[in-house]
Amino acid sequence: MTIGVWVLGNQLWHNQAALVSCEGKAASVLFIEAQTFAAERPYHKQKLVLVWSAMRHFADELKTAGWAVTYAIAPDTETALRDWVKAEGITELRLMEATDHSFTAWLQGLDLPCKLTILDNNLFLWLAKDFNAWADKRKSLLMESFYREGRQRFDLLMTGDQPLGGQWNFDKDNRKPPKGKLNTPTPHWFEPDATTQAVIDRVEKLEISTFGEATPFRWAVTREQALQVLDGFIAERLKTFGPYQDAMVTGEDTMWHALLSPYLNLGLLHPLEVVERAEAALAEHDLPLNSVEGFIRQVMGWREYMRGLYLHFDADYGDRNWFDHRQPLPKFFGTGETEMNCLHQAIDQIKRTGYAHHIQRLMILSNFSLIAGFVPQEVKDWFHAVFIDAYDWVMQTNVIGMGLFADGGLLASKPYASSANYVNKMSDYCKGCRYNPKQRTGEDACPFNYFYWDFLHRHRDKLKAQGRMSFILKNLDRMDSEELEAIHQQAQDWHKAHP
């Protein structure tokens, strides 16, 4: 019997389930760097560089540790897999669960000449079966309830059975607008080594559609480097992460954000070690509880919740379009060339780095896509393509559910829709924009304003069923029909001018 382990590009951990299952047994290990993956969508060039370079480095680490490794650079995934199974005489293929509906369906549709064993994915805090057990016994799947149960389950920031500090959530302390001079820390970046440079050269030569710029590439590509980023975050960024985690500032790509999501999503870091390091730093460095709690909530709360819901919901969840939005995504989402400074800043940053923090994603990119009525699937596919930390399990629930409310409220309790007022409060983007954030109509009116009110007006019947929207909808009653018509017409004119 010859055991084979196929290590996927986002499972790069020595203790991942498929590798661990073979300890003490002779096993062959396969990596496939396939152009079919790169051609699935117009991925950011730096996403391709990150995944392939991290795969090559991890494969070398396994070889050094004594594993028999095959690293296939191939045009086609299935052909490379079948050739390896045949060449190595594999009788059992072991693979850790991929957390990807389309990949799982494709894999199960293969008629392989060997036994296929799928193991539970241990790169998350919650196993899928445990999340489903939690979800199946509840009428509503609120993140806050899940987060509290997670805190108790893993004994994080707890005093007995009570939350440290007397409350579970310090979110109200973490919404500080960016005022005055901000002394932000320099991100922990890396120069590409020979392996990464070879991947950069390969990506630059690909004759497929891609997004963004491949260089300068400065992301970590090994576990050792990712641990350095974690160390730097704990030492230099976590203290001030909380208050300014929602702030957006021109020229500040990273603020105090951790920049750990690409490494968590690749498997270079494990979420348990990350949150335990943050908890330990609370006492060791006398850090503010609101910063540490806010960070832990993102990793062990939101991240685990998104992945759990992705597997809990039906596979067609990503096809939902509750508002029946039909507007195509405008071309400037590919170029960043728009007079709306907030969108220009966010898209330009993504083109350069493959990264934007959660409020840029939610309250700039998703918010505008929601109120302007873009097709949810086009928005989801764009997010999946352009972000360096994006995977199907990340983007379906985050974009379809949280960002666009296209699931009709299965995930969020209300749409995250806002006018220019929020952008103006939490960023300096409006100061460098030709539009006026206080005007609803007219040549200088910010599109966020007329799209916001048009969105509320168009979908009033659906929105009034969402209890948290009733107060906001009352503001529509204060607007006369002539202004609402002018707002609607200006929104229609914008779409005509932005194909």
Side-chain angles (χ1 to χ4, degrees):
M1 180 176 182
T2 302
I3 299 173
V5 175
W6 182 11
V7 176
L8 303 181
N10 60 349
Q11 301 178 349
L12 308 180
W13 186 39
H14 287 273
N15 292 320
Q16 63 115 301
L19 289 175
V20 169
S21 74
C22 296
E23 285 184 353
K25 304 174 184 177
S28 297
V29 179
L30 173 67
F31 294 81
I32 303 176
E33 184 180 306
Q35 188 159 322
T36 49
F37 158 73
E40 285 180 354
R41 49 179 52 86
Y43 284 113
H44 201 296
K45 289 179 180 179
Q46 292 194 32
K47 171 67 174 292
L48 298 176
V49 174
L50 175 68
V51 174
W52 286 346
S53 179
M55 285 173 61
R56 292 186 187 190
H57 281 92
F58 187 60
D60 288 342
E61 290 177 16
L62 291 184
K63 288 178 185 177
T64 301
W67 292 88
V69 175
T70 298
Y71 194 97
I73 300 177
D76 174 71
T77 303
E78 182 175 347
T79 300
L81 176 61
R82 291 188 181 279
D83 288 349
W84 172 75
V85 168
K86 182 178 180 180
E88 298 294 323
I90 302 299
T91 55
E92 180 188 358
L93 175 63
R94 296 184 184 180
L95 181 72
M96 189 166 72
E97 184 261 323
T99 316
D100 185 295
H101 292 313
S102 61
F103 176 85
T104 299
W106 170 83
L107 182 66
Q108 292 175 343
L110 293 178
D111 184 17
L112 293 172
C114 62
K115 178 184 177 181
L116 176 63
T117 301
I118 307 294
L119 295 102
D120 286 335
N121 192 313
N122 62 349
L123 280 168
F124 295 85
L125 295 171
W126 288 68
L127 294 176
K129 61 185 179 183
D130 292 334
F131 183 92
N132 285 333
W134 171 84
D136 288 341
K137 64 184 180 183
R138 309 190 74 87
K139 292 182 179 180
S140 62
L141 305 178
L142 293 178
M143 201 287 281
E144 185 66 24
S145 299
F146 171 74
Y147 170 58
R148 293 182 184 189
E149 184 148 333
R151 286 267 296 274
Q152 294 170 315
R153 173 183 285 238
F154 296 100
D155 193 26
L156 282 160
L157 301 181
M158 299 295 297
T159 302
D161 61 354
Q162 296 300 309
L164 187 66
Q167 60 191 69
W168 295 97
N169 189 318
F170 290 85
D171 201 35
K172 64 179 179 7
D173 298 323
N174 292 341
R175 298 169 181 162
K176 195 171 183 178
K179 302 290 186 182
K181 176 72 173 174
L182 298 177
N183 186 25
T184 57
T186 302
H188 200 117
W189 296 123
F190 303 88
E191 289 297 319
D193 62 7
T195 298
T196 300
Q197 189 58 54
V199 176
I200 291 172
D201 294 341
R202 166 163 156 73
V203 169
E204 293 280 38
K205 294 174 183 175
L206 289 174
E207 295 182 353
I208 59 174
S209 179
T210 55
F211 183 88
E213 302 154 11
T215 58
F217 181 87
R218 299 174 292 182
W219 296 94
V221 292
T222 66
R223 173 167 169 79
E224 180 183 1
Q225 290 179 339
L227 286 169
Q228 292 178 43
V229 179
L230 175 58
D231 290 342
F233 171 66
I234 297 295
E236 303 167 6
R237 308 171 80 87
L238 180 53
K239 180 177 182 179
T240 319
F241 164 76
Y244 291 106
Q245 66 173 288
D246 289 1
M248 300 169 282
V249 178
T250 303
E252 294 282 355
D253 291 347
T254 62
M255 300 289 285
W256 284 273
H257 290 274
L259 307 180
L260 295 174
S261 57
Y263 315 133
L264 284 164
N265 293 354
L266 281 175
L268 298 179
L269 295 175
H270 193 278
L272 186 60
E273 70 180 330
V274 169
V275 294
E276 287 182 341
R277 282 287 307 279
E279 182 187 42
L282 178 68
E284 292 172 6
H285 303 294
D286 192 26
L287 298 180
L289 180 56
N290 64 298
S291 284
V292 175
E293 186 277 318
F295 173 70
I296 287 177
R297 179 155 29 92
Q298 287 191 0
V299 177
M300 74 159 297
W302 191 252
R303 182 176 183 270
E304 295 287 325
Y305 180 65
M306 289 291 98
R307 185 259 185 167
L309 289 178
Y310 174 82
L311 293 175
H312 184 72
F313 291 147
D314 292 338
D316 63 355
Y317 177 86
D319 299 328
R320 293 174 180 259
N321 188 355
W322 193 63
F323 291 115
D324 194 30
H325 282 166
R326 300 294 176 187
Q327 293 292 342
L329 201 66
K331 293 177 182 177
F332 70 73
F333 268 70
T335 65
E337 296 175 2
T338 172
E339 291 184 304
M340 299 178 67
N341 191 46
C342 58
L343 283 164
H344 168 72
Q345 293 294 335
I347 297 170
D348 180 69
Q349 177 181 317
I350 297 164
K351 287 176 65 179
R352 291 184 286 103
T353 66
Y355 171 81
H357 72 67
H358 66 282
I359 293 299
Q360 291 171 308
R361 301 187 197 201
L362 177 64
M363 299 309 297
I364 302 293
L365 298 164
S366 294
N367 180 15
F368 189 73
S369 298
L370 167 64
I371 60 180
F374 300 146
V375 178
Q377 287 66 41
E378 291 189 20
V379 181
K380 177 197 69 174
D381 289 346
W382 183 83
F383 268 73
H384 193 157
V386 306
F387 282 111
I388 200 160
D389 55 3
Y391 295 91
D392 197 48
W393 69 267
V394 179
M395 290 309 167
Q396 276 208 26
T397 43
N398 267 293
V399 178
I400 296 295
M402 179 72 166
L404 302 180
F405 207 76
D407 65 358
L410 290 178
L411 190 157
S413 57
K414 72 176 182 64
Y416 277 81
S418 80
S419 66
N421 182 56
Y422 179 89
V423 181
N424 195 28
K425 175 184 176 183
M426 295 306 300
S427 79
D428 68 350
Y429 294 155
C430 296
K431 295 177 183 177
C433 189
R434 86 153 200 81
Y435 294 110
N436 186 335
K438 298 187 182 301
Q439 285 190 218
R440 291 196 292 226
T441 57
E443 184 178 344
D444 294 330
C446 176
F448 265 92
N449 288 337
Y450 52 76
F451 273 126
Y452 173 70
W453 292 107
D454 187 52
F455 166 76
L456 296 180
H457 183 55
R458 284 184 292 117
H459 297 300
R460 180 165 190 161
D461 287 344
K462 282 192 170 184
L463 292 172
K464 66 183 180 183
Q466 307 298 317
R468 296 181 65 191
M469 295 295 295
S470 57
F471 177 78
I472 297 171
L473 290 173
K474 287 180 181 178
N475 292 321
L476 281 175
D477 297 332
R478 302 186 181 98
M479 301 171 70
D480 57 42
S481 58
E482 289 80 6
E483 184 178 12
L484 286 173
E485 179 56 35
I487 284 172
H488 179 69
Q489 188 59 54
Q490 194 151 358
Q492 295 301 106
D493 291 345
W494 187 94
H495 283 303
K496 294 176 183 175
H498 297 83

